Amino acid sequence: MRFCPVFSGSSGNMLFVEGGGARVLIDCGFAGSAAAKAMDSIGAPLSSIDALLVTHDHIDHTKGVGVLCRKHHIPVYANEGTFRAMSAAVGKLPGELVRVFESGRDFFIRELNVLSIPIPHDAAEPVGFALSAGGKRVTVLTDIGHFDERLLSCAAGSSLVMLEANHDVDMLSVGAYPYPLKRRILGEYGHLSNDSCAAALIKLYSTGVRRAVLGHLSEHNNYEQLALETVRQALRAADIPDEDFELSIAHRGRVGEMYEV
């Protein structure tokens, strides 16, 4: 399998996964031209994409969904709640390209198995995804207000996990965001902090996870080096040696690296 966090952050999100003879995107929070340029740069043009999976209806995940579907004839996979909530933003999609899945159930795109994972976030029917092929599994969990035992079970033993490290609590607390927005981000259905991300990865390590990509960093309440250092220090404090856990970042403003899984 191959995985690339093409873009990830509060400005827009798009992830690429290849496995089981299929190439899929998770979300598209960018205009079609930006998405096309980014995909060309990683050698996976939009003409080669078999499916577009949508995690939830927020605009930083759906801005380019309609354009990609209509212009490049890419089937869109989402649950009923997400299709309903994003309909105004993405516009009318060709009926033959609409694929409705049931949250919590798995399905196949060619030989790539896709499990949708209900997540705690303030959207209509948000999900993460675990994608598996050839005995490998990539699990994507961003936009989650808290990490619980159910999510731990879904991500356990993954070959690679992309987990949200959205904000530094101190930066958010003293920053310029209005209080209601701060409360939303810090809430049970908001976003995962660097510290909470670290605690989740420590639990995932005990299940066999050894590679993680930190994603969906806030533009105003976090920065890459802080997220990496906060998580790494927590892993060390839990007696997890650096060489036993590969840790990297999904960039907000530039195309991420391609991972072989």
Side-chain angles (χ1 to χ4, degrees):
M1 293 183 69
R2 297 199 303 160
F3 171 71
C4 178
V6 185
F7 296 110
S8 179
S10 53
S11 302
N13 298 272
M14 185 169 71
L15 315 176
F16 169 75
V17 181
E18 181 175 15
R23 285 181 164 184
V24 305
L25 293 178
I26 299 176
D27 294 331
C28 182
F30 290 88
S33 58
K37 182 178 180 180
M39 295 307 296
D40 286 344
S41 75
I42 64 171
L46 291 174
S47 59
S48 71
I49 300 301
D50 298 294
L52 173 53
L53 312 176
V54 183
T55 59
H56 65 291
D57 55 279
H58 290 168
I59 196 67
D60 58 324
H61 296 260
T62 61
K63 183 177 180 180
V65 168
V67 172
L68 262 61
C69 175
R70 291 184 292 268
K71 183 175 181 179
H72 299 278
H73 307 287
I74 301 173
V76 175
Y77 290 71
N79 55 42
E80 184 176 347
T82 297
F83 268 122
R84 185 169 55 249
M86 73 177 180
S87 61
V90 306
K92 185 172 178 57
L93 304 179
E96 69 274 15
L97 297 177
V98 172
R99 307 283 193 272
V100 182
F101 62 74
E102 183 179 345
S103 297
R105 302 290 296 273
D106 69 334
F107 55 92
F108 281 88
I109 301 171
R110 297 190 179 181
E111 297 302 314
L112 180 67
N113 182 260
V114 180
L115 172 65
S116 62
I117 305 168
I119 58 173
H121 191 52
D122 55 356
E125 194 179 342
V127 295
F129 292 106
L131 304 99
S132 305
K136 304 292 185 178
R137 178 156 45 109
V138 173
T139 301
V140 174
L141 295 171
T142 66
D143 298 78
I144 55 177
H146 62 276
F147 189 85
D148 55 23
E149 292 301 313
R150 181 180 55 81
L151 295 183
L152 176 64
S153 176
C154 290
S158 295
S159 310
L160 182 149
V161 173
M162 180 172 173
L163 189 63
E164 178 173 55
N166 176 256
H167 60 275
D168 174 80
V169 173
D170 291 336
M171 285 184 69
L172 176 63
S173 298
V174 301
Y177 281 9
Y179 175 71
L181 179 55
K182 292 180 181 181
R183 184 172 60 183
R184 171 195 166 249
I185 292 170
L186 293 167
E188 288 288 285
Y189 296 90
H191 290 278
L192 214 62
S193 70
N194 294 339
D195 292 324
S196 296
C197 175
L201 289 177
I202 291 168
K203 291 181 179 180
L204 285 168
Y205 178 83
S206 69
T207 73
V209 172
R210 295 295 183 269
R211 299 177 76 186
V213 180
L214 310 183
H216 210 287
L217 273 66
S218 168
E219 180 179 2
H220 302 290
N221 302 303
N222 210 355
Y223 56 93
E224 292 187 3
Q225 193 56 44
L226 176 61
L228 279 171
E229 190 61 24
T230 300
V231 173
R232 180 61 76 188
Q233 290 294 347
L235 294 175
R236 290 170 181 162
D239 294 323
I240 299 173
D242 292 5
E243 60 271 19
D244 279 1
F245 202 103
E246 181 181 330
L247 197 62
S248 56
I249 283 280
H251 308 299
R252 185 177 59 81
R254 57 187 172 91
V255 176
E257 67 179 282
M258 183 72 75
Y259 298 88
E260 298 286 341
V261 179

